[in-house]
Structure formats: C-alpha cells, structure tokens
Amino acid sequence: MVNPEARAIASSSDVVVVAVDLIVTAKVKVPIAASSCPQDRTKLIEAMLSANKNVIVVVNAGGAVDMSTWVNRTPALLQAWYPGQEGGAALAQILFGDFSPSGKLPISFERRLEDNPAYPNYYSQ
C-alpha cells in the first residue's frame, strides 16, 4: 500500500521522480531469470502516475524489467543500471539538464517477458 501522504505530496508537486530497484527480500521466491518488477514497486509507480501526470521513473537494475503495465503512461524513463555511490549526483545532472544521457544501450529490451527469444526455453512459469 502506498502511503497516503506520498500520494498527496505527488499530486501537489510539479514533477515526481520514482526510483525503483529489483531487490527482493529473502522471503520472496523469484526465478533468477525473471525480469518482473516487484509488485510493491509497480504499485508505487502506478500510484504516482495516478496522482501526477509528470512522473519520471528511474530503474536501478542490471537488465530489462517488465514495465508493460505502466510504461505507456510514463512520460520519462531512465535506466540507471547500478550507478554506484555517485549515482545520485549523476541522476541530478541528467534531471536538471546539465548532462545528456545519450549513451547507447548494449542490449535490447523486450516489451514483455514473452518477447524475449529465450523465453520458451529458459523462463519457468
């Protein structure tokens, strides 16, 4: 559940920046090859999108993430990979226009997990 105060702040803000990762607790079993965004992160993103139309989603992950439920409603998306201790400073430079994130991706991102060519042979249901 998303904190009601967070929703209120988001609805009154000019822009909302949502940073999410794929870290899950030991209590949650996730296949190693899964690229699905944890449910609590998806709920947070969707709550912020419903509260404010100007949402920037920053994904801290080492690869593709299933964004199919919210990516078409997200005006800005930044794949941060694992940026390290200076990641916050780098993100600020990008968000304030001091630096252009013009790098080229070394991989392709499938829109759905099923679009991955290895899906029928690798991913478990």
Side-chain angles (χ1 to χ4, degrees):
M1 183 174 145
V2 177
N3 184 318
E5 184 179 4
R7 286 181 198 261
I9 292 170
S11 66
S12 64
S13 298
D14 293 334
V15 177
V16 176
V17 179
V18 181
V20 296
D21 59 22
L22 293 184
I23 297 171
V24 295
T25 65
K27 296 177 184 177
V28 179
K29 287 189 174 186
V30 178
I32 291 173
S35 64
S36 59
C37 191
Q39 192 64 25
D40 59 337
R41 277 45 156 227
T42 298
K43 287 181 180 179
L44 174 64
I45 293 167
E46 291 177 347
M48 295 301 104
L49 286 167
S50 67
N52 191 314
K53 65 178 180 165
N54 298 314
V55 175
I56 301 167
V57 177
V58 180
V59 177
N60 292 293
V65 176
D66 183 4
M67 308 172 196
S68 59
T69 61
W70 49 266
V71 72
N72 290 334
R73 296 178 287 137
T74 305
L77 173 65
L78 179 66
Q79 175 74 23
W81 301 99
Y82 294 119
Q85 73 181 41
E86 286 299 312
L91 178 61
Q93 290 175 338
I94 292 168
L95 294 178
F96 287 102
D98 298 332
F99 185 80
S100 173
S102 59
K104 307 300 183 250
L105 287 175
I107 63 171
S108 296
F109 287 106
E110 59 270 3
R111 288 191 70 74
R112 300 172 311 131
L113 188 59
E114 294 82 10
D115 294 336
N116 185 308
Y119 178 81
N121 303 310
Y122 187 66
Y123 294 100
S124 61
Q125 294 295 331

